[in-house]
Amino acid sequence: MQNRRIFFVQPPKGPVTPACYDVRDEPVPEPQDGDVLVRNIYLSCDPYMRGRMGGTANYPGSRDFPLDEVVPARVVGQVAESRNPKFKKGDFVWGFLGWELYSLAKGGGDLRMIDPSLGPISHAITVIGMPGLTARVGILDIGKPKPGETAFISAASGAVGSVAGQIAKQEGCIVVGSAGSDRKVRHIVDVLGFDAAFNYKTVSSIGAALDEYCPNGIDIYFENVGGETLEAVLDRINQGARIPVCGSISQYDNPEPSKPKNIGNVEAKGAVMRKFSIYDHMDQYDDFLPWIAERVMDGRIVYFEDIVDGFDNTIDAFIGMMNGDNLGKRLVRVSEDPTLG
Ligand SMILES: NC(=O)c1ccc[n+]([C@@H]2O[C@H](COP(=O)([O-])OP(=O)(O)OC[C@H]3O[C@@H](n4cnc5c(N)ncnc54)[C@H](OP(=O)(O)O)[C@@H]3O)[C@@H](O)[C@H]2O)c1
């Protein structure tokens, strides 16, 4: 059996290009005692991976991906061979593996079992996994929503934003989103159930759009993008506003990320602006899993996965996601998902 693997070979200068990677064919590794060989099915494409590729000062605290190693990524797969008593051939698992067709989890690594009765197995790395937990931590723990408040979510149709907005809505907020295409805007309102949304690329100005759609000001801003959007929001926050800083994707390619000129408004308004990393909240995962699975299964949380087929499309799928061509969570399906029948 041959393995195909994507190595990270060159930090980008600005946007990620295919030259950052090298695709290599190698033999599938032999598991030793304790190891688990996983046939990968879904590979994750996440914006934080750009931060880990270097060339930007924007992702404090994170380690760069090692050069000349397989791109680390969350993966859903099926055990192909196990020499570990905790896993058996055929089990569905997820873990931090890599952009490759087969991964060897040494000693079982951080593999976790997937319960297929909780929904599609891909959900383990999407709505009932890291992006969903990120949304809950940001909105509930930092945003602390109250009924009647206005919550504004940027990158609102995406993996994290789509869930953040739906949770805020269920907490009784008026929820407004922004995204980069009219198709996404329709999706945010018609499918995800936000009260309003706008296309930040085509409005006359983001500030004018916020004045129109958030006439009572902004109590919670779920920050995903930074730059111009953040600055426009800071001019419109209410007294005591909360700003969970989840990410700032508009700045990830920028070696000198822009800082908002009006950051002083945070203090002036007695607001809380808190950057958070989901890695500091993984202790919530066991409590989160049944909480979110129930809401997805009964339809309270609607979730879209944007699945690109074919391992050889992985690099383009990632670059496309960074440029906004995903509607929902971007994954790559690299081999058959037997649960799809
Ligand atoms: N704090 C944490 O632990 C944590 C965990 C997960 C994710 N995050 C962060 O959460 C944010 C969303 O991540 P996600 O996984 O949900 O990704 P996503 O929203 O599914 O996909 C990324 C989206 O970002 C938008 N985007 C790209 N360039 C932009 C720009 N210049 N200005 C505005 N929007 C832009 C694009 O949508 P448009 O078409 O709308 O432009 C794109 O579809 C990112 O900042 C990410 O780093 C943080």
Side-chain angles (χ1 to χ4, degrees):
M1 285 193 302
Q2 278 293 100
N3 200 4
R4 184 162 279 201
R5 319 177 79 197
I6 300 175
F7 287 74
F8 172 50
V9 294
Q10 189 181 300
K13 292 188 179 71
V16 174
T17 69
C20 299
Y21 305 102
D22 189 33
V23 182
R24 300 177 195 163
D25 289 330
E26 295 181 350
V28 172
E30 279 283 328
Q32 305 301 311
D33 277 352
D35 296 347
V36 180
L37 181 69
V38 179
R39 174 180 66 86
N40 294 334
I41 301 174
Y42 296 101
L43 310 182
S44 190
C45 295
D46 295 286
Y48 80 87
M49 299 167 88
R50 168 64 188 94
R52 299 253 168 122
M53 292 171 75
T56 159
N58 198 54
Y59 225 79
S62 70
R63 294 174 314 280
D64 285 353
F65 286 158
L67 274 180
D68 219 31
E69 289 192 15
V70 169
V71 176
R74 284 188 184 78
V75 164
V76 162
Q78 189 169 28
V79 174
E81 202 179 327
S82 177
R83 295 189 58 180
N84 183 310
K86 292 191 193 136
F87 300 93
K88 62 177 191 313
K89 187 172 174 170
D91 284 344
F92 293 106
V93 290
W94 72 272
F96 247 110
L97 300 171
W99 280 359
E100 55 191 347
L101 286 175
Y102 288 88
S103 291
L104 188 69
K106 283 193 182 300
D110 69 346
L111 285 185
R112 283 198 182 229
M113 295 284 283
I114 295 174
D115 176 358
S117 73
L118 294 181
I121 57 171
S122 53
H123 279 187
I125 54 171
T126 68
V127 62
I128 69 170
M130 183 278 280
L133 180 56
T134 305
R136 188 177 84 156
V137 167
I139 281 293
L140 292 185
D141 297 358
I142 304 173
K144 300 188 190 308
K146 296 186 209 56
E149 289 189 327
T150 298
F152 172 57
I153 322 284
S154 52
S157 68
V160 176
S162 61
V163 182
Q166 291 180 77
I167 297 174
K169 184 82 193 141
Q170 284 159 24
E171 294 295 309
C173 293
I174 299 155
V175 182
V176 177
S178 65
S181 74
D182 293 345
R183 176 178 174 234
K184 289 184 178 184
V185 166
R186 282 195 301 276
H187 176 80
I188 290 165
V189 176
D190 297 346
V191 180
L192 303 178
F194 287 32
D195 295 284
F198 62 87
N199 179 344
Y200 70 90
K201 290 182 178 166
T202 56
V203 289
S204 59
S205 79
I206 294 172
L210 291 174
D211 287 339
E212 180 180 348
Y213 295 112
C214 308
N216 301 323
I218 295 167
D219 299 294
I220 300 169
Y221 172 45
F222 194 98
E223 157 73 314
N224 279 324
V225 303
E228 195 187 336
T229 302
L230 175 59
E231 223 164 71
V233 168
L234 290 180
D235 278 338
R236 290 161 179 83
I237 49 173
N238 291 332
Q239 196 68 34
R242 285 83 62 204
I243 305 176
V245 180
C246 178
S248 46
I249 193 168
S250 75
Q251 303 301 309
Y252 289 177
D253 293 333
N254 187 349
E256 289 178 36
S258 77
K259 301 259 181 328
K261 289 190 285 293
N262 52 357
I263 190 76
N265 292 357
V266 173
E267 195 178 344
K269 293 282 184 177
V272 172
M273 185 168 179
R274 199 176 130 203
K275 194 172 178 97
F276 70 103
S277 164
I278 199 55
Y279 299 104
D280 298 329
H281 300 271
M282 290 312 290
D283 57 331
Q284 290 195 26
Y285 178 75
D286 289 338
D287 166 68
F288 164 76
L289 186 58
W291 183 92
I292 191 81
E294 182 187 319
R295 283 162 175 76
V296 174
M297 280 193 283
D298 68 17
R300 271 178 289 169
I301 300 274
V302 177
Y303 200 72
F304 268 60
E305 294 175 334
D306 185 320
I307 299 176
V308 172
D309 270 302
F311 181 82
D312 290 342
N313 295 320
T314 304
I315 295 167
D316 286 347
F318 176 76
I319 293 172
M321 179 276 299
M322 292 300 294
N323 289 318
D325 75 7
N326 59 309
L327 181 70
K329 169 76 183 122
R330 174 55 57 88
L331 295 174
V332 185
R333 184 163 38 218
V334 300
S335 70
E336 189 206 347
D337 175 350
T339 66
L340 294 181

